[in-house]
Amino acid sequence: MNKTTESFLKQKTAAEWAEVGVPRPHESAFLHVLGEARYVDDIPEMQGTLHAALGLSQKAHARVKGMDLTEVQASPGVVAVYTAKDIPGTNDCGPIIHDDPILADGLVEYVGQPIFLVIADTHDNARRAARLAKVDYEELPAILTPQEAKKAQSFVLPPMRLRRGDFQKAFEQSPHRVKGELYVGGQEQFYLEGQISYAVPKEDRGMHVYCSTQHPSEMQHVVAHALGLHSHHVVVECRRMGGGFGGKESQSALWAAAASIAAAKLDRPVKLRADRDDDMMVTGKRHDFHYEYEVGYDNDGRITAAKVEMVSRAGYSADLSGPVATRAVCHFDNTYYLSDVDILALCGKTNTQSNTAFRGFGGPQGAIAIEYIIDEIARTLGKDPVDVRKANFYGRSDEEGRNVTHYGQKVVDNVIHEIVAELEADSDYRQRREVVRAFNASSPVLKKGIALTPLKFGIAFNLTHLNQAGALVHVYVDGSVLVNHGGTEMGQGVNTKVAQVVAHELGLDLSQVRVSATDTSKVANTSATAASTGADLNGKAAQDAARQIRERLTAFAAQAWKADPAGIRFADNHIVINGTPQPFNEVVRKAYNARVQLWSDGFYATPGLHWDAATMTGNPFFYFAYGAAVSEVVVDTLTGEWKLLRADALYDAGNSLNPAIDIGQVEGGFIQGMGWLTTEELWWNKAGKLMTHAPSTYKIPGISDCPRDFRVKLYKNRNAADSIHRSKAVGEPPLLLPFSVFFAIRDAVASVGGYKVNPPLNAPATSEAILNAVDAVRAA
């Protein structure tokens, strides 16, 4: 060791040693670039591997009177064909309510529902054979939209209602009132890696499932139930996903179960990989919502009463529609204090794919409704929407009041005032707004629009018991460290952040720490990597495990070197004992020889959470993340085409664990949310068939849709809650930032009528929707 290092170590305290809070590349970045990152379909296939495909329903709602699979079985390469009666255990893959069959049995409820399973020697042979079935259907009436579901009183769950104060009285006493409707469409997750499971039979009825999933423990339970086994028979492993976005939280279960059923019956490895069109036909998407609202407000635009009825398209089964609706209800306020509210959420049962989790998980759908209402109020009063937003913000202290949410949680960490003030100044919002209006006054065809929107997003699972995590940390005799935790890596960098936490705790360089595949045989009973809690929960659990090892090494060093434990420090791959840096690996070797335990398990449960589902009140969130964005667009009023010219985003990541990854997450979330609100249109024909089931018909944003001028900053903050190193989650909240894009488009359309008319613009704001809104404004 050179003298510079020695001098550095003597000065440096453990608190100053930093492997967190610094930008680091994604732990698999070099593997991604080289094409060496191994996904499920890249695992070398074992001898005897077979391939499966699903036979899908061609009717939206029908009884299956008969099914002739003779040609399927006779097709080249086919080894077996299975239907619901061949499932050895429970024919169900529903995550909460057991209303979701693996294979439909006698009744089909959407076009694309799996009704049989084909196993063949190759992937293509299985797919070709699955198309040869002859099915006799007795068609039944189909419900396709949330509006139809409400009219028919067709729901997958009982209604949810949250009331505070006296809405009717406050509404009647309000100086101004507005009533209206809004429709916001769904969104396909469009992960780059499709749904896939590779099931390998083991001895004594065991099953090892390699699965692209956000929830290995749930896959373990579903597979065990489908095979009629205990959980200890099943191991589910996931090294990484090529994207998840919520689509692999519960809906990877069908693929895991189907592959495992075939593998168990044939005692051979079976891979089930979905092609993109099958994937989109079978799986659920973000819930689309239809809203009806009544709101009262005063002369300043301050909301005095708010009532909203939101009906979601749940699809044919409950899946995660209940928690999604709950989060929508809890996020209807966004950043605004609502004194008197009446919120009704309905989960409409429709004969379409069972909708599921998607980044934001109902939060964006709840928040966009109040933002639409604020936008409406501002234009009606002739005010800048930012001023109306500020007038409605939550207060910053008990003295100010206005700091308790409609579901009863106190907002104790409100920084939205500061964030909006900083962004407003940095983006030159006020000056640019005047420039935009001047441009529009002299431009008859091209119209510009600008908008600033804020966000507040609650971090934690609404279901309290899911807020827990476990981890294992192994220190090997050579001083290297292996970490296993319950989170799953879908590109968001959770493994990188957890490795940073462990490296920081042990005073090591990040290169000394490796994170292994998520595996149900290592950390049991894990929660899904969802609700933006991946780094929060698993980071704390890994920190707990690493801390125990550090304490054991400290105690050993104090005894072996006769040192004061309080003076022992871990930094720069050394342990400083009695002022002298000792190489970490040498101390570890001596500790091993002295029979000191060099591995540990860690556990974390988020404190202070409670939720009463009956009254829809409680403290469901550990803390709130905040942010704001300004977007400027130009719209061609003859074609409906538009372009995002510039976007400024300021996001509160707390004391960021990894600013490079967090900024990347904000950028990605922004563009993905922009796609949801502008280009990504899901369309079912009258027969209930999803027609936008391939990249040729479904438009996600491309690189050309990103603004040339894209300015993303992290707000300097420190989480008031005791989160991991006082950081804040960054997975889902940024998806609300592109509300600014939608409202900038609406602002541009409003200019056609001199900003006097509220454009009736639904989402996604496709070119057709924009033209319809332009026509409506001109007609008004």
Side-chain angles (χ1 to χ4, degrees):
M1 181 173 58
N2 61 43
K3 289 184 178 180
T4 308
T5 304
E6 190 167 352
S7 169
F8 161 80
L9 281 167
K10 285 179 178 177
Q11 295 171 24
K12 209 159 180 69
T13 67
E16 288 172 330
W17 173 254
E19 269 298 347
V20 295
V22 290
R24 297 284 188 227
H26 191 286
E27 49 99 26
S28 295
F30 73 101
L31 297 175
H32 293 150
V33 171
L34 295 172
E36 293 177 3
R38 189 169 288 185
Y39 297 87
V40 174
D41 206 28
D42 299 317
I43 296 169
E45 291 174 7
M46 297 183 187
Q47 186 174 352
T49 293
L50 298 171
H51 298 263
L54 296 167
L56 309 179
S57 164
Q58 301 304 307
K59 301 295 179 183
H61 194 201
R63 289 191 182 89
V64 178
K65 296 171 68 178
M67 191 157 52
D68 182 358
L69 302 175
T70 308
E71 286 188 44
V72 179
Q73 290 168 325
S75 188
V78 170
V79 174
V81 181
Y82 298 123
T83 60
K85 66 178 175 19
D86 298 305
I87 296 173
T90 308
N91 182 19
D92 177 77
C93 57
I96 300 173
I97 295 174
H98 302 303
D99 60 350
D100 209 337
I102 298 163
L103 297 175
D105 189 6
L107 178 71
V108 293
E109 297 190 81
Y110 72 97
V111 176
Q113 183 168 12
I115 50 179
F116 64 90
L117 181 66
V118 185
I119 299 89
D121 57 348
T122 69
H123 173 78
D124 287 345
N125 279 344
R127 283 199 84 210
R128 288 191 187 99
R131 266 72 176 159
L132 301 176
K134 293 175 180 172
V135 184
D136 185 12
Y137 298 99
E138 178 192 336
E139 289 199 63
L140 302 169
I143 294 170
L144 300 177
T145 69
Q147 297 94 314
E148 289 173 13
K150 178 191 166 187
K151 186 176 180 181
Q153 291 293 289
S154 170
F155 307 115
V156 296
L157 293 163
M160 302 177 191
R161 191 158 213 154
L162 189 160
R163 290 188 176 107
R164 174 163 80 171
D166 187 337
F167 161 77
Q168 199 58 43
K169 182 180 177 182
F171 183 70
E172 290 167 1
Q173 293 176 351
S174 299
H176 307 280
R177 301 170 204 171
V178 60
K179 296 184 180 181
E181 291 184 44
L182 172 66
Y183 174 77
V184 175
Q187 186 180 20
E188 166 65 37
Q189 287 88 356
F190 217 96
Y191 23 67
L192 287 178
E193 176 202 31
Q195 298 280 4
I196 182 169
S197 284
Y198 184 29
V200 180
K202 298 292 183 180
E203 64 179 25
D204 192 24
R205 298 180 297 163
M207 189 66 65
H208 194 124
V209 186
Y210 299 92
C211 183
S212 185
T213 180
Q214 295 172 236
H215 202 345
S217 286
E218 187 176 307
M219 300 309 104
Q220 179 188 31
H221 301 153
V222 168
V223 169
H225 292 152
L227 299 181
L229 302 172
H230 293 297
S231 290
H232 67 210
H233 287 102
V234 180
V235 173
V236 177
E237 181 179 331
C238 178
R239 172 60 185 93
R240 62 173 60 82
M241 287 164 274
F245 309 115
K248 295 174 181 174
E249 181 175 344
S250 63
Q251 299 226 342
S252 48
L254 166 68
W255 314 87
S260 299
I261 289 163
K265 293 187 78 69
L266 295 168
D267 196 26
R268 288 174 68 178
V270 173
K271 183 189 288 187
L272 175 53
R273 171 172 65 81
D275 282 71
R276 179 67 64 184
D277 52 353
D278 284 351
D279 194 322
M280 292 181 75
M281 288 295 290
V282 173
T283 60
K285 295 92 176 63
R286 182 188 296 280
H287 293 70
D288 48 328
F289 273 61
H290 181 261
Y291 313 80
E292 294 179 42
Y293 57 85
E294 298 177 77
V295 173
Y297 58 97
D298 64 18
N299 293 331
D300 295 321
R302 183 173 285 191
I303 293 171
T304 51
K307 180 179 183 179
V308 66
E309 178 184 276
M310 40 179 108
V311 187
S312 68
R313 186 194 325 237
Y316 81 98
S317 69
D319 196 83
L320 297 172
S321 295
V324 165
T326 301
R327 190 167 278 266
V329 168
C330 288
H331 284 76
F332 174 66
D333 60 330
N334 196 19
T335 55
Y336 313 116
Y337 175 76
L338 303 173
S339 58
D340 296 80
V341 295
D342 184 354
I343 305 171
L344 178 64
L346 304 169
C347 301
K349 181 180 170 97
T350 55
N351 296 109
T352 54
Q353 293 81 352
S354 187
N355 283 331
T356 189
F358 195 128
R359 197 174 190 173
F361 200 79
Q365 294 100 310
I368 196 167
I370 198 72
E371 290 298 340
Y372 194 88
I373 290 162
I374 293 256
D375 195 59
E376 200 106 324
I377 290 169
R379 201 167 287 108
T380 302
L381 293 176
K383 291 180 176 289
D384 187 328
V386 171
D387 294 328
V388 177
R389 290 185 165 100
K390 287 180 174 179
N392 283 283
F393 279 166
Y394 275 104
R396 283 173 282 200
S397 65
D398 290 347
E399 290 73 35
E400 281 185 57
R402 296 173 56 85
N403 66 340
V404 178
T405 65
H406 53 297
Y407 48 88
Q409 179 164 349
K410 186 180 284 189
V411 181
V412 297
D413 58 354
N414 189 5
V415 292
I416 195 61
H417 299 262
E418 292 80 0
I419 286 176
V420 167
E422 184 176 321
L423 181 67
E424 194 180 331
D426 286 354
S427 67
D428 297 319
Y429 167 77
R430 300 281 179 180
Q431 299 93 310
R432 287 167 59 200
R433 187 169 186 265
E434 294 307 314
V435 171
V436 162
R437 295 207 160 204
F439 173 88
N440 290 340
S442 60
S443 177
V445 175
L446 297 179
K447 298 290 185 180
K448 288 186 177 181
I450 191 168
L452 187 159
T453 57
L455 76 89
K456 174 178 73 53
F457 197 92
I459 304 299
F461 289 95
N462 275 78
L463 199 58
T464 302
H465 77 260
L466 295 178
N467 295 285
Q468 58 174 300
L472 288 173
V473 174
H474 298 283
V475 175
Y476 292 103
V477 178
D478 66 353
S480 64
V481 180
L482 185 69
V483 182
N484 189 273
H485 61 87
T488 54
E489 177 62 59
M490 60 194 98
Q492 85 281 32
V494 67
N495 284 349
T496 310
K497 288 182 173 181
V498 170
Q500 285 179 276
V501 167
V502 171
H504 181 89
E505 202 68 20
L506 296 175
L508 300 174
D509 288 335
L510 187 58
S511 60
Q512 293 294 105
V513 181
R514 179 183 174 91
V515 179
S516 62
T518 313
D519 184 328
T520 57
S521 66
K522 292 181 180 176
V523 177
N525 309 321
T526 58
S527 297
T529 306
S532 303
T533 61
D536 280 14
L537 294 177
N538 296 289
K540 276 283 196 180
Q543 183 187 47
D544 179 43
R547 176 189 51 77
Q548 294 176 53
I549 296 169
R550 195 189 72 229
E551 288 173 352
R552 288 185 203 131
L553 287 172
T554 299
F556 164 73
Q559 183 182 30
W561 274 268
K562 296 183 172 47
D564 178 6
I568 294 174
R569 292 177 287 112
F570 290 66
D572 199 31
N573 302 313
H574 288 76
I575 301 176
V576 183
I577 309 166
N578 289 329
T580 303
Q582 306 288 343
F584 181 82
N585 60 330
E586 290 183 13
V587 179
V588 164
R589 165 70 69 177
K590 289 175 180 175
Y592 168 74
N593 290 339
R595 297 185 295 179
V596 174
Q597 183 181 332
L598 295 173
W599 61 271
S600 186
D601 60 318
F603 182 75
Y604 177 72
T606 312
L609 303 178
H610 58 89
W611 178 250
D612 185 333
T615 61
M616 299 202 81
T617 57
N619 217 66
F621 305 120
F622 189 35
Y623 61 85
F624 297 101
Y626 300 87
V630 176
S631 292
E632 183 180 342
V633 303
V634 61
V635 173
D636 185 330
T637 57
L638 294 181
T639 64
E641 292 175 280
W642 64 278
K643 189 164 185 63
L644 177 58
L645 301 174
R646 174 178 164 184
D648 298 67
L650 183 59
Y651 181 73
D652 169 28
N655 189 28
S656 171
L657 290 173
N658 187 323
I661 282 177
D662 286 350
I663 286 173
Q665 284 291 291
V666 175
E667 291 170 344
F670 187 100
I671 298 302
Q672 189 172 52
M674 182 181 80
W676 165 50
L677 294 172
T678 59
T679 65
E680 297 184 42
E681 185 173 32
L682 294 164
W683 178 64
W684 287 261
N685 67 14
K686 290 180 181 178
K689 181 179 180 180
L690 178 68
M691 303 304 288
T692 49
H693 59 82
S696 57
T697 51
Y698 185 79
K699 173 69 174 74
I700 65 170
I703 192 67
S704 60
D705 297 302
C706 301
R708 286 193 174 186
D709 195 348
F710 197 8
R711 311 181 189 192
V712 174
K713 281 175 58 181
L714 299 181
Y715 178 67
K716 287 184 169 59
N717 193 23
R718 179 177 160 84
N719 198 348
D722 183 22
S723 59
I724 183 69
H725 291 286
R726 300 285 175 168
S727 63
K728 286 192 178 184
V730 75
E732 295 171 298
L735 200 126
L736 281 69
L737 293 170
F739 285 4
S740 57
V741 176
F742 179 81
F743 291 108
I745 292 172
R746 200 175 187 222
D747 182 55
V749 173
S751 72
V752 173
Y755 300 99
K756 303 294 185 188
V757 178
N758 277 307
L761 184 64
N762 290 322
T766 60
S767 295
E768 294 88 342
I770 290 170
L771 279 180
N772 289 338
V774 167
D775 289 345
V777 169
R778 283 187 176 134

